[in-house]
């Protein structure tokens, strides 16, 4: 019910990336840091850190402010309790925030007006995703991972920000956790020997290699939804908890 909740979700969801560190071309560790006395990881840290301006500076999430965000402002919000910057890709987060704000302003949109346009359509989800295809932070991914995550979040919020049309459903939200789960559970089988060795060795992939794994995971999750008869939200939640309980990131 907070008046800035909608702007918050638009601004924070596009930042859902870059939660691990590499060393010497290999995956080294996930992003974990202390925030307000709690040790938090990845997206949980990001969501919580982005709440910091909510009460005292709620305009922070507006497209106008995001368009002109400074590195110092972003760093102050994301800083860990020990004063360090825990984000492995801070400058890319800044670039995405500015791109989001500037595209929204150029299109004459706010989160509220964008949703109003979508909701006036017979296919609100499709309309919203098509608009996000032109907005920085969301438009870069052909599989619409962050766009779908935003739609799912807004649909499942208590405020009911986004109502889907008849027969509409969100596409799979494929992040590296989902890819890892698909690979380790056998939903996706890697037949290319060189790619298999790179994955097993935690080596950085080329964009086309990562894209192939992501697309295969996307198609696998689509099949799980189809066969199980469950919603994408339910399947996504299952995989999130399965990974946390049975598939630790570092082992």
């Amino acid at each position: 019910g907070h008046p800035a909740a909608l702007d918050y979700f638009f601004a924070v969801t596009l930042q859902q990336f870059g939660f691990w560190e590499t060393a010497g071309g290999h995956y080294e560790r996930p992003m974990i840091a202390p925030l307000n006395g709690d040790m938090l990881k990845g997206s949980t840290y990001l969501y919580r850190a982005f709440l910091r301006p909510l009460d005292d500076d709620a305009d922070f999430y507006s497209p106008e402010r995001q368009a002109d965000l400074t590195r110092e402002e972003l760093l102050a919000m994301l800083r860990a309790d020990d004063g360090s910057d825990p984000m492995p890709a801070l400058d890319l987060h800044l670039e995405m925030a500015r791109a989001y704000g500037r595209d929204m302003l150029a299109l004459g949109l706010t989160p509220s007006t964008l949703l109003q346009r979508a909701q006036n359509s017979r296919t609100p989800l499709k309309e919203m995703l098509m608009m996000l295809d032109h907005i920085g932070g969301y438009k870069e991914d052909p599989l619409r991972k962050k766009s779908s995550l935003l739609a799912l979040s807004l649909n499942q919020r208590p405020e009911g920000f986004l109502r889907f049309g008849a027969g509409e459903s969100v596409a799979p939200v494929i992040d590296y956790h989902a890819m890892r789960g698909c690979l380790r559970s056998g939903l996706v089988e890697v037949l290319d020997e060189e790619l298999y060795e790179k994955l097993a060795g935690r080596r950085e992939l080329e964009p086309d290699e990562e894209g192939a794994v992501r697309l295969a995971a996307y198609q696998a999750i689509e099949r799980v939804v189809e066969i199980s008869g469950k919603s994408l939200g339910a399947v996504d939640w299952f995989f999130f908890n399965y990974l946390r309980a049975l598939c630790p990131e570092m082992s």
Side-chain angles (χ1 to χ4, degrees), residues 6-26:
L6 188 58
D7 284 3
Y8 164 86
F9 276 100
F10 268 77
V12 72
T13 307
L14 69 91
Q15 300 291 0
Q16 292 293 332
F17 67 89
F19 299 133
W20 61 90
E21 295 189 48
T22 59
H26 289 73

Side-chain angles (χ1 to χ4, degrees), residues 30-49:
M31 188 234 108
I32 300 175
L35 183 67
N36 300 331
D38 296 321
M39 289 298 293
L40 301 176
K41 177 176 176 291
S43 64
T44 306
Y45 185 100
L46 184 80
Y47 278 127
R48 190 84 60 86

